[in-house]
Amino acid sequence: MSAGPFVPTLEADFDRDGDYELNLTPYTPPETSYRISRGADSRGRMRKSQIQVTLRNADGMFTEGNSASPLWGRQWEQTPIRITLTHPGGTDTLWTGYIEEHENQWSMTGEGARARTSVKAIDLAEYIGNYRSLNVTVANRRTDEALAAIFAAMGLTDADYELATGRQDLEYHFARQQPAMGAIIDVINSEMGGHGFIGADGQFHFHARDTRLGVSGAHAWGDGTNVRPRQKWLKGAPEDLLSIVGVQPTIRSVGQADTEIFRFSRGMHTRPV
């Protein structure tokens, strides 16, 4: 196969139908380059990925209030936007996100007036990271089912994520007034070998232990598999102890032996049936 050019394309989906009908590449200056950064911090929290690009606006295409523009009256913020790369082997999506803000700019140069529009876009990790008060309860869940419950509580749909079937079964999972990012990491850690990330398609992807390792479920260790740990034990900590009661009873009258001296209860955001 002969080598050919690598052509990046910037396109937006203003009508939000998934087709990305508007090609923004002709409006980018010739010197435009795209820098995409992804990753996670030392605690496993996903860092938001973002792009910033400048568009030429000489014809008023991106000027708000210009009724002659096909974008007149359209909402910019939260509009899906992506970068694709066409190469000899086909076309790949490099990044997908949402327009967070845009700003029109006018300036005078030696060649006359120049109109530009600055666009900033972020990916789904920004929304997850800013969701600070999550409440969710799931009984008898797999890892992927708990993640789906978290995303549903955040208002996301299955178009926003792709989840492999988790190999870990836990009887109960809940989050109360918890940041969504922390709740997601807790669930992924419970998979003990799972992995979560925002892909180039803009979706959150979860890989269970078997899908991450590229083996069948029977060859992954843990619940629902043929591989079991040789030993297991429960490790306690002082903070796990909720209360200590010391009693020195003194019987002073008949019938006092059955007097209630202590009571405790377990409080939860949503009590199980």
Side-chain angles (χ1 to χ4, degrees), residues 93-199:
T93 299
L94 299 183
W95 187 88
T96 304
Y98 304 88
I99 295 177
E100 184 178 42
E101 60 185 45
H102 73 290
E103 180 181 1
N104 292 325
Q105 304 167 347
W106 289 269
S107 61
M108 294 298 297
T109 67
E111 300 176 354
R114 184 176 68 176
R116 298 287 176 98
T117 298
S118 176
V119 177
K120 176 183 177 183
I122 46 87
D123 70 356
L124 189 61
E126 170 84 349
Y127 176 69
I128 295 175
N130 288 337
Y131 200 102
R132 293 293 181 180
S133 184
L134 178 74
N135 292 298
V136 63
T137 302
V138 185
N140 299 321
R141 59 89 171 173
R142 293 192 315 262
T143 316
D144 58 299
E145 294 170 335
L147 289 172
I150 289 173
F151 293 137
M154 297 172 62
L156 301 178
T157 68
D158 56 5
D160 298 307
Y161 55 84
E162 183 270 329
L163 308 176
T165 301
R167 305 305 309 180
Q168 194 68 33
D169 294 322
L170 296 179
E171 294 183 358
Y172 210 74
H173 166 260
F174 71 94
R176 183 178 183 183
Q177 297 294 305
Q178 186 179 5
M181 186 69 75
I184 291 171
I185 292 173
D186 287 345
V187 172
I188 293 175
N189 288 342
S190 76
E191 176 71 15
M192 291 178 285
H195 184 48
F197 59 94
I198 306 295

Side-chain angles (χ1 to χ4, degrees), residues 164-240:
T165 301
R167 305 305 309 180
Q168 194 68 33
D169 294 322
L170 296 179
E171 294 183 358
Y172 210 74
H173 166 260
F174 71 94
R176 183 178 183 183
Q177 297 294 305
Q178 186 179 5
M181 186 69 75
I184 291 171
I185 292 173
D186 287 345
V187 172
I188 293 175
N189 288 342
S190 76
E191 176 71 15
M192 291 178 285
H195 184 48
F197 59 94
I198 306 295
D201 57 3
Q203 290 184 319
F204 177 92
H205 293 265
F206 166 69
H207 287 176
R209 342 187 240 270
D210 54 337
T211 53
R212 185 181 185 188
L213 297 173
V215 298
S216 67
H219 290 89
W221 68 273
D223 295 338
T225 73
N226 296 331
V227 183
R228 297 288 182 174
R230 294 181 61 184
Q231 291 181 317
K232 61 180 180 180
W233 62 91
L234 177 64
K235 182 178 180 181
E239 57 268 22
D240 296 331

Side-chain angles (χ1 to χ4, degrees), residues 70-88:
L71 299 181
W72 183 67
R74 299 284 187 95
Q75 177 184 342
W76 277 74
E77 283 61 36
Q78 305 305 318
T79 294
I81 188 171
R82 71 182 181 185
I83 302 171
T84 62
L85 183 68
T86 300
H87 52 84

